[in-house]
Each structure stands twice: as structure tokens, then as C-alpha cells.
DNA sequence: GCCGTTTTCGGCCCGACTGTTTTCAGTCG
């Protein structure tokens, strides 16, 4: 059985939670959380690393390195099992309740023998909690409410499309130029937890407008207001215009990035917070209306939001060696669209026209192959007719249709169409659409045999994940990326907000190794062409430069690359 | 438990908000 980074991170995280409930040293606890976070965010598996290699990773020392080795060998570690044996397992679920942390759990457990959410509900209903020191009526009500929320929704994250709908509802209530959406939304993450907005107007002047667009007001304060909009949490933070830069920086995060920046400030004798920078010895607050001024004050280059993850960008900004990222100006076309020849809505002439309107040089028409029954896929014969129509349409349009296909990768790694048919096409995308539950080794070999096929140019949505619906397939991405580099095959960044596949970390790994990325919207409908922006954000988060992305090539360069 | 061109010991990001309190603990982001 493979030990994934996620699995290791979960064990370390669990250790942190258990130690919290036990009331251990907070810095020891933090060390476990930090190590878990570091492991979880690493692009390549740590399973094969020895203790020396592990402890050279920042945030992992000798002790945790040894525990990771133990997890790889046995699936757990001795100290974890020891701590776990003294604490009832359901206690941990209590931590997922809003407003309930380790101290609360610990007190409830020791004083009232509350071991589960059901226990807590019973005690709260019988008003036995208010009798405890430090607890009262409000706390009891809060617990009941938190339990209700917990049961109602195991709160999933939003897709970017959903986040855009929430933002689109809130921002008309705000005045242009007075606000910025911050948080993971601004960083371009593939999914978003809640929406954070920084606003340079005062609470009193704007709150009535916000009330109108909200389903519910959660909190109202002088410094921040929390709303529920379209069922999602929106936090609005008020800032004086003169302090807007530091507030925006703070609320954009990521948390790890903020901590790194504060450490840099400390190293220079300053204290950084959301109001500005204080001189630790002389006092006095220096304010920043823009983020650019703040970065400059700290001697750093401006770090775009997409890079703010503490993946090495802070050091690069200090050394003035930040990478050049791909931008929308360099995108010359969409490398994955469907037509009405199969399950798409637009005919080829309509596609070409839509491409024109987007200012594209080309669109890669990649309909499904016949093996995928549901979408009336193309066979060799219909591909020939389609090729003929493509030729006709291209004569009348400035946006050129590149004739391709999205061919199925079958369970055994073979392709859904004969090589003879594929060889006729300009570009071939190969994707997995079935048999997602194969084990890791089989799935990896399946993808690699598609990569090795001489006709395949791009692997479509390589992990197959669909947000909130389907987990990514088990796959050895290192091996896939290595083989893609050796064969000159590109990997897709599927820009559908439900997929965003590959995601940022894998894009980063691929680019580091010299594998090209193809951004494709997988559009079946004209409204989906705009999704290209989501894919672009993910690529930028993966540190992709213009040279890493196939869509920056001119049509003739692209066709040459594919041949 | 982790970390280090000022440190191998003594630090570890910082503030808002709530509910419980007469000055603070706990939780959250």
C-alpha cells in the first residue's frame, strides 16, 4: 500500500489535535501542524526519503523525520498510538464545530464527560454546561447552533465559478475603487473557502447596502462585518485608505506567506501587522496605502497574489529573482473545445466565430472518440468528414480551427481509435473517462502507455478529479511527468472550474522538469470559453512562464511542435 | 518540536471578537 503525503500529513495533524486536547506545549503542537502542512503541500511524495533528507526540509527536524519514517513503515507511529489510547476518538470531531477549540473540548470532557457531538447536544439541551466556570447561556446556545450548522452541511469549498457568483452579488453594493476581494479568491486558488473583502469605507456608511445583498448578517462590528451571501460566508474588513495596502496584504494571505513576511520584518527590527509596520525600538507606525509600497519598504520585489504560498517566492522576492509568469496577453488560443459534431453546442462555423470574438488565433477542436458511448463520439469515417468541414470553415475565418480529438485512454492503456486515424489529425488529446478506481500502479502505467503513443500530444485532465464529486485518480505523478518530458508530451491544465486539473502543485513540478502545459476550457457551450482565465490563474500559481505554456505559441509553431 | 552569519538556548506572527469576566481566556483567520 502506498503511503501518500496526505496520509502522513493527516497522522501528524491528528497528533497535533490530540496534544492540544491534552494541553501540551503550544509550540510543540504548532511544530506538528507545521510539519503536516509542509508535507501536505509538497509536490512530490516523501515516502522514499530517508531521515536525513526529511530533516533537511524546513519545518521538519530529527524527531518528526523519524516519525514520518515510522508512518511509512507501519502506517502510524508509537507516540501517536500512545496518546490516542488515552483520548476517546469522537472527541476529535468536536473540534470541527465552529467556536469549539481544544480547551473547550478538554474542559467539557473532563468536567462533564462529553465525548461526542451527541453528548454535547444533550448536555447543552439540559443546561448543564452553563454551570461550568467560564461557560454561560450564550455558549450553550452557540454550541447548539454550531451543531445544527455542522449537521446541515459538511461545508464544502466553492468552485471558482461559484465564488464568482458570490462576488458578483456582493460587489455591486460597494463603490468602485473602494474595495478589493482578498483571500484565496485573490490568490487564484482552484477552490475557495469563503470570500474576504477589504473596503476603504467605514462600517456605518456601507452596512445598510451590504444588508440588502445578504441572506443573513452573521456579525456586525466597527472593524469587520460578516454576511451570508448565496449560502456562503463573506467577511468584509474595513480599512482606512492610508492603511489599505497592509490590510489587503494581510487578508490576501496565505497564512504561511504572512508569517514569512512578518519574520522578515522582525529580522529588520520591525513588527508587521494589518495596520502597517512598527519600529520595534522606536515605536511609531508607518502606514502603506498600497501593497507595492510595503513590499518595497521591506526591500522585496512585489509578489503577485498567485505566488503567495511560501513556496520559495519570499526568498526570490528578497533576492529580486522572481519568475516571469504567463499572462493573458500571451494566450493565443484555447486548446480543448467541443463542437456539435459530438456533445458540444456550437457548430464549427460558430466555434470559429466565437474564437474570433475572443481574439484567438486558433481553437483546438477536440471532440470525443467513439468509444465514449454517451456523447456519440467520432469514428475514423466521421473524422474524415469533420476534417473536410474544418478546412472549409478555416478558409472563411481568421481564427483557425485546429483539427484534433479527445481520444479515450482505455482501461488497458490502449487508445479508443486506430493509430491510422490519429495520425491524420493535427493534435491529439488523450484522456481517461472510465475505470477510475484502478490501483495506483495500473493507472500510472495506463497513462504512461498513452504518453508513449507517438500520436498523442496532450494528456487531458490527468487526474480526472471533479470537485465535490470525484477524487483524483491514484497515480504516480512523478513517473508520469518524467515520461512526459522524455517523450515531449504536454499535460493539460483543464480550465473547467469543476476540474482545474492539473492543479497548481503538479503544474509546478511539470514546469520545473520542462514539461509543457496546455490550457483548455473543455468548453461544450459558448459560456464556457471564459473559463480559460481559471486555467491561467492555476498555471501562474504553478510558476508557469510563457515558455511553459503551449497556448503562447503561434498556430504554425504549435503545429510544428506537434509534428 | 524546530531553528540559528548576532543565538545550540530561548525564542516561536499578530490582532479581532466573543463571552465571560472586572482584566482575561479561548477561538478564529
Amino acid at each position: 500500500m502506498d503511503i501518500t503525503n496526505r496520509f502522513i500529513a493527516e497522522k501528524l495533524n491528528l497528533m497535533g489535535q490530540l496534544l492540544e486536547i491534552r494541553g501540551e506545549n503550544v509550540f510543540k503542537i504548532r511544530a506538528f501542524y507545521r510539519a503536516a502542512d509542509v508535507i501536505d503541500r509538497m509536490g512530490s511524495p516523501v515516502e522514499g526519503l530517508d531521515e536525513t533528507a526529511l530533516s533537511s526540509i524546513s519545518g521538519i527536524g530529527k524527531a518528526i523525520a523519524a516519525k514520518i519514517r515510522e508512518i511509512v513503515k507501519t502506517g502510524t507511529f508509537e507516540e501517536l498510538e500512545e496518546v490516542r489510547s488515552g483520548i476517546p476518538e469522537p472527541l476529535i470531531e468536536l473540534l470541527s464545530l465552529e467556536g469549539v477549540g481544544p480547551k473547550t473540548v478538554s474542559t467539557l470532557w473532563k468536567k462533564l464527560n462529553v465525548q461526542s457531538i451527541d453528548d454535547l447536544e444533550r448536555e447543552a439541551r439540559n443546561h448543564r454546561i452553563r454551570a461550568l466556570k467560564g461557560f454561560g447561556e450564550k455558549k450553550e446556545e452557540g454550541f447548539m447552533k454550531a451543531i445544527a450548522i455542522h449537521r446541515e452541511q459538511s461545508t464544502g469549498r466553492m468552485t471558482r465559478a461559484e465564488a464568482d457568483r458570490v462576488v458578483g452579488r456582493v460587489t455591486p453594493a460597494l463603490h468602485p475603487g473602494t474595495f478589493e476581494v482578498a483571500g484565496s479568491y485573490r490568490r487564484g486558488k482552484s477552490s475557495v473557502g469563503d470570500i474576504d473583502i477589504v473596503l476603504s469605507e467605514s462600517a456605518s456608511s456601507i452596512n445598510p447596502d451590504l444588508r440588502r445583498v445578504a441572506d443573513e448578517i452573521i456579525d456586525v462590528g466597527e472593524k469587520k462585518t460578516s454576511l451570508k451571501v448565496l449560502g456562503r460566508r463573506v467577511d468584509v474588513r474595513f480599512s482606512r485608505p492610508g492603511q489599505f495596502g497592509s490590510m489587503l496584504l494581510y487578508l490576501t494571505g496565505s497564512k504561511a506567506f504572512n508569517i514569512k513576511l512578518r519574520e522578515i520584518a522582525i529580522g529588520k527590527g520591525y513588527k508587521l501587522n494589518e495596520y502597517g509596520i512598527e519600529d520595534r525600538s522606536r515605536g511609531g507606525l508607518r502606514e502603506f496605502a498600497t501593497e507595492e509600497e510595503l513590499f518595497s519598504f521591506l526591500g522585496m520585489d512585489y509578489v503577485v497574489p498567485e505566488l503567495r504560498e511560501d513556496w520559495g517566492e519570499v526568498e526570490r522576492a528578497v533576492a529580486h529573482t522572481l519568475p516571469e509568469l504567463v499572462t493573458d496577453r500571451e494566450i493565443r488560443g484555447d486548446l480543448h473545445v467541443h463542437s456539435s459534431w459530438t456533445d458540444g453546442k456550437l457548430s464549427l462555423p460558430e466555434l470559429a466565430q466565437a474564437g474570433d470574438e475572443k481574439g484567438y488565433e486558433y481553437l483546438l477542436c477536440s471532440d470525443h472518440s467513439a468509444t465514449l458511448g454517451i456523447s456519440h463520439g467520432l469514428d475514423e469515417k466521421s473524422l474524415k468528414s469533420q476534417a473536410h468541414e474544418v478546412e472549409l470553415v478555416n478558409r472563411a475565418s481568421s481564427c483557425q480551427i485546429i483539427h484534433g480529438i479527445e481520444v479515450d485512454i482505455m482501461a488497458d492503456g490502449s487508445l479508443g481509435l486506430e493509430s491510422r486515424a490519429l495520425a491524420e489529425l493535427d493534435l491529439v488529446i488523450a484522456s481517461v473517462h472510465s475505470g477510475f478506481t484502478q490501483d495506483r500502479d495500473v493507472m500510472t502505467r495506463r497513462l504512461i502507455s498513452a504518453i508513449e503513443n507517438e500520436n498523442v500530444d496532450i494528456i487531458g485532465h490527468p487526474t480526472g478529479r471533479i470537485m465535490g464529486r470525484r477524487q483524483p485518480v491514484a497515480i504516480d505523478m512523478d513517473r508520469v511527468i518524467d515520461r512526459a518530458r522524455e517523450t515531449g508530451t504536454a499535460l493539460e491544465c483543464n480550465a473547467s472550474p469543476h476540474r482545474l486539473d492539473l492543479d497548481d502543485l503538479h503544474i509546478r513540478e511539470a514546469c520545473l522538469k520542462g514539461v509543457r502545459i496546455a490550457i483548455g476550457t473543455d468548453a461544450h457551450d459558448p459560456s464556457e470559453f471564459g473559463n480559460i482565465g481559471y486555467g491561467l490563474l492555476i498555471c501562474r500559481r504553478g510558476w508557469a512562464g510563457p515558455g511553459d505554456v503551449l497556448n503562447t505559441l503561434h498556430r504554425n509553431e504549435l503545429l510544428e511542435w506537434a509534428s
Side-chain angles (χ1 to χ4, degrees):
Chain A
M1 141 106 183
D2 297 303
I3 302 289
T4 61
N5 286 2
R6 173 57 55 87
F7 182 85
I8 294 168
E10 278 168 3
K11 296 290 172 201
L12 295 174
N13 199 61
L14 175 62
M15 184 67 180
Q17 292 179 317
L18 293 169
L19 292 178
E20 278 206 88
I21 293 172
R22 278 212 340 195
E24 299 275 335
N25 177 300
V26 291
F27 297 110
K28 179 174 173 178
I29 293 162
R30 194 177 296 171
F32 275 100
Y33 284 140
R34 181 154 176 238
D37 186 51
V38 167
I39 296 292
D40 195 36
R41 297 192 307 151
M42 283 185 48
S44 56
V46 298
E47 187 187 1
L49 302 182
D50 63 15
E51 270 188 54
T52 317
L54 284 167
S55 53
S56 70
I57 300 168
S58 175
I60 295 172
K62 275 185 74 168
I64 291 185
K67 290 178 174 62
I68 292 173
R69 287 306 303 159
E70 217 182 320
I71 295 171
V72 170
K73 286 201 192 92
T74 69
T76 182
F77 56 98
E78 207 182 321
E79 208 185 326
L80 175 66
E81 293 308 314
E82 196 184 304
V83 177
R84 200 187 227 175
S85 68
I87 296 174
E89 199 80 21
L91 222 48
I92 292 156
E93 204 193 354
L94 282 169
L95 287 173
S96 64
L97 296 174
E98 173 97 36
V100 177
K103 303 283 189 199
T104 306
V105 168
S106 176
T107 306
L108 291 171
W109 176 39
K110 285 174 186 154
K111 303 279 184 190
L112 290 174
N113 197 29
V114 166
Q115 297 193 9
S116 65
I117 291 183
D118 288 343
D119 288 351
L120 177 62
E121 186 180 29
R122 195 185 54 244
E123 296 301 308
R125 190 164 280 154
N126 294 332
H127 303 312
R128 281 199 283 269
I129 288 170
R130 61 182 66 173
L132 295 178
K133 187 173 183 224
F135 291 78
E137 209 173 316
K138 290 267 182 64
K139 284 263 188 192
E140 247 172 21
E141 285 168 17
F143 292 151
M144 293 299 286
K145 205 172 165 189
I147 290 169
I149 291 169
H150 178 81
R151 290 193 174 140
E152 168 190 328
Q153 51 175 11
S154 45
T155 49
R157 293 169 67 82
M158 284 175 267
T159 63
R160 288 208 65 90
E162 191 183 353
D164 276 335
R165 283 194 290 277
V166 176
V167 168
R169 179 153 174 84
V170 179
T171 52
L174 311 173
H175 298 115
T178 63
F179 70 91
E180 191 85 54
V181 181
S184 55
Y185 180 87
R186 182 165 181 243
R187 299 203 309 282
K189 278 195 66 129
S190 52
S191 67
V192 177
D194 57 18
I195 301 292
D196 297 296
I197 297 176
V198 186
L199 186 61
S200 63
E201 293 187 87
S202 69
S204 53
S205 72
I206 199 73
N207 271 335
D209 296 329
L210 286 174
R211 278 173 202 275
R212 275 201 294 280
V213 297
D215 313 335
E216 186 192 329
I217 309 288
I218 301 170
D219 287 316
V220 176
E222 270 306 298
K223 306 216 166 182
K224 63 187 260 194
T225 287
S226 297
L227 321 163
K228 192 163 252 186
V229 177
L230 301 178
R232 296 295 185 169
R233 188 187 177 101
V234 176
D235 291 324
V236 180
R237 186 70 187 263
F238 306 104
S239 168
R240 298 216 327 263
Q243 300 178 333
F244 195 82
S246 49
M247 185 63 81
L248 181 58
L249 183 83
Y250 163 71
L251 275 178
T252 298
S254 65
K255 188 173 177 174
F257 176 83
N258 283 350
I259 290 174
K260 203 55 167 278
L261 233 56
R262 284 170 178 179
E263 284 169 5
I264 286 186
I266 289 171
K268 292 174 177 286
Y270 301 124
K271 186 176 76 169
L272 168 64
N273 61 26
E274 57 264 53
Y275 303 113
I277 291 180
E278 240 173 75
D279 192 308
R280 290 203 140 183
S281 49
R282 285 177 300 182
L285 183 73
R286 193 186 165 93
E287 300 186 341
F288 301 90
T290 67
E291 289 182 330
E292 284 82 353
E293 294 164 50
L294 202 157
F295 279 112
S296 163
F297 183 82
L298 290 175
M300 303 167 63
D301 285 343
Y302 179 77
V303 182
V304 296
E306 295 95 310
L307 289 184
R308 300 183 194 170
E309 296 292 339
D310 190 21
W311 291 346
E313 74 286 355
V314 174
E315 293 80 355
R316 300 278 287 263
V318 169
H320 307 294
T321 57
L322 280 169
E324 182 196 357
L325 303 182
V326 62
T327 69
D328 58 355
R329 291 186 304 278
E330 292 137 3
I331 299 296
R332 303 186 191 281
D334 188 330
L335 288 176
H336 189 161
V337 304
H338 292 269
S339 80
S340 56
W341 276 76
T342 58
D343 59 349
K345 288 232 170 65
L346 296 184
S347 66
L348 292 180
E350 287 167 334
L351 268 183
Q353 194 192 332
D356 264 343
E357 284 162 14
K358 291 275 297 173
Y360 283 155
E361 202 175 309
Y362 50 80
L363 288 174
L364 171 58
C365 175
S366 46
D367 281 318
H368 293 289
S369 61
T371 46
L372 199 66
I374 48 163
S375 54
H376 318 291
L378 303 175
D379 57 16
E380 192 174 346
K381 198 169 152 217
S382 43
L383 269 174
K384 279 213 164 89
S385 324
Q386 194 184 34
H388 184 63
E389 196 192 344
V390 166
E391 223 179 289
L392 292 178
V393 170
N394 279 345
R395 279 185 212 156
S397 159
S398 73
C399 173
Q400 296 288 288
I401 290 179
I402 294 176
H403 192 210
I405 195 163
E406 182 179 14
V407 65
D408 279 327
I409 304 174
M410 314 306 284
D412 62 358
S414 65
L415 300 179
L417 270 177
E418 296 293 325
S419 291
R420 194 180 54 216
L422 297 176
E424 294 292 312
L425 296 161
D426 295 329
L427 260 161
V428 172
I429 301 177
S431 311
V432 168
H433 288 111
S434 59
F436 297 101
T437 53
Q438 289 178 331
D439 80 38
R440 187 161 181 256
D441 200 48
V442 174
M443 184 60 88
T444 303
R445 277 186 283 139
R446 180 178 176 188
L447 276 194
I448 285 178
S449 54
I451 287 171
E452 288 171 346
N453 185 300
E454 58 176 4
N455 293 306
V456 171
D457 302 296
I458 299 167
I459 299 296
H461 44 71
T463 79
R465 76 153 170 191
I466 297 180
M467 287 188 208
R469 220 155 41 116
R470 187 163 73 215
Q471 288 291 107
V473 295
I475 196 180
D476 184 340
M477 191 58 80
D478 271 356
R479 276 174 64 200
V480 168
I481 289 173
D482 284 342
R483 202 67 191 114
R485 183 199 53 220
E486 288 155 11
T487 58
T489 309
L491 299 177
E492 182 178 64
C493 176
N494 189 293
S496 160
H498 299 286
R499 290 190 183 270
L500 294 175
D501 176 17
L502 297 177
D503 207 343
D504 43 25
L505 274 175
H506 286 138
I507 301 265
R508 176 122 197 251
E509 293 291 308
C511 292
L512 274 174
K513 289 186 170 168
V515 173
R516 283 266 181 63
I517 304 297
I519 308 177
T521 58
D522 209 346
H524 289 69
D525 185 279
S527 65
E528 292 166 351
F529 283 100
N531 292 345
I532 195 98
Y534 298 136
L536 188 69
L537 276 173
I538 297 301
C539 286
R540 287 168 60 83
R541 287 179 55 77
W543 296 48
D548 296 314
V549 175
L550 274 183
N551 310 54
T552 64
L553 297 181
H554 287 291
R555 176 170 169 275
N556 56 346
E557 295 169 332
L558 185 63
L559 294 178
E560 194 175 320
W561 170 83
S563 64

